[in-house]
Amino acid sequence: MENHIEKILFTEKQISQRVSELASQITLNFSPSTNNGGGPLLSSSSSAPVVVGVATGAFLFLADLVRKINLPISVDFVRVESYGSGTVSSGKPKISCDLKIDVTGKHVILVEDVVDTGNTLACLFEHLKSKGASSISVCTLLDKPSRRKVNVEPVGEGKFYCGFECPDYFVVGYGLDFSEVYRNLPYVGILKPEMYS
């Protein structure tokens, strides 16, 4: 599989370090006793956030992230399909597996592998608002702002947490796939075009 990768963009060590930083920021923002410049998102009477992984791409990122968040969080998954077996989003995401946890009145942190067009986030934000989430944050491993078609702002007191800004290449590894392969690579790399052309 290594010879299918054109270039490693983010190493295992870089990812681990950035995940720790994101988890620390989330812990700080959601700790009821925090009185920092950014201010806590939760009052002492509020419950801890529900962390929702967008399956399947975010599963490794979610697992590493939640183990480093020092809060009594709940974890759930939602599955949204928009790629199929291709390399470009269809632009019409659909929820194929819904949450089990009731998010009414709760703060939700959506954990994504990559935010590119914004279509999936827009779909999920509408869905979570309809379920009564009080605020929605996003924590994405990769952000591809150059591909954005829909700008989605966090809901309520939500925030946008980003691991890395990613150039517009088709990337795999650390949960990201092409046709369900390459998710187990410990880094994020550019897939050679001949592997999907």
Side-chain angles (χ1 to χ4, degrees):
M1 279 196 323
E2 303 278 330
N3 62 345
H4 296 181
I5 304 303
E6 189 172 293
K7 177 183 175 185
I8 295 174
L9 287 180
F10 307 108
T11 66
E12 187 174 5
K13 184 177 179 181
Q14 288 172 308
I15 292 168
S16 179
Q17 175 64 37
R18 189 65 184 126
V19 169
S20 294
E21 293 167 359
L22 291 168
S24 294
Q25 188 61 51
I26 290 168
T27 299
L28 184 67
N29 289 151
F30 288 92
S31 293
S33 59
T34 302
N35 190 6
N36 60 8
L41 294 175
L42 300 175
S43 67
S44 57
S45 61
S46 297
S47 61
V50 177
V51 180
V52 176
V54 181
T56 302
F59 82 104
L60 290 176
F61 178 43
L62 176 82
D64 289 344
L65 182 71
V66 298
R67 288 181 295 161
K68 295 180 181 189
I69 295 174
N70 191 19
L71 297 167
I73 57 174
S74 300
V75 179
D76 203 348
F77 284 93
V78 64
R79 182 180 292 262
V80 181
E81 296 175 10
S82 63
Y83 278 88
S85 61
T87 61
V88 179
S89 172
S90 68
K92 297 175 183 168
K94 63 177 185 160
I95 295 170
S96 60
C97 184
D98 205 351
L99 299 170
K100 292 181 181 175
I101 294 176
D102 181 6
V103 296
T104 305
K106 296 181 181 175
H107 185 88
V108 174
I109 302 172
L110 276 173
V111 178
E112 267 275 36
D113 55 356
V114 59
V115 175
D116 53 16
T117 63
N119 289 323
T120 299
L121 276 188
C123 171
L124 284 169
F125 273 41
E126 286 308 310
H127 184 66
L128 291 167
K129 286 192 284 188
S130 76
K131 289 185 162 291
S134 62
S135 59
I136 306 168
S137 291
V138 175
C139 183
T140 185
L141 175 65
L142 304 175
D143 186 23
K144 291 184 176 181
S146 65
R147 294 192 30 86
R148 198 81 77 244
K149 293 180 180 175
V150 179
N151 284 320
V152 181
E153 296 294 323
V155 175
E157 298 295 316
K159 293 190 179 279
F160 185 81
Y161 303 95
C162 174
F164 303 97
E165 189 167 314
C166 185
D168 190 16
Y169 295 110
F170 190 75
V171 295
V172 294
Y174 196 66
L176 291 97
D177 75 301
F178 171 66
S179 280
E180 302 301 327
V181 182
Y182 306 106
R183 292 189 195 278
N184 57 320
L185 293 173
Y187 53 78
V188 173
I190 300 169
L191 187 62
K192 288 180 177 176
E194 59 265 28
M195 302 313 300
Y196 56 85
S197 298

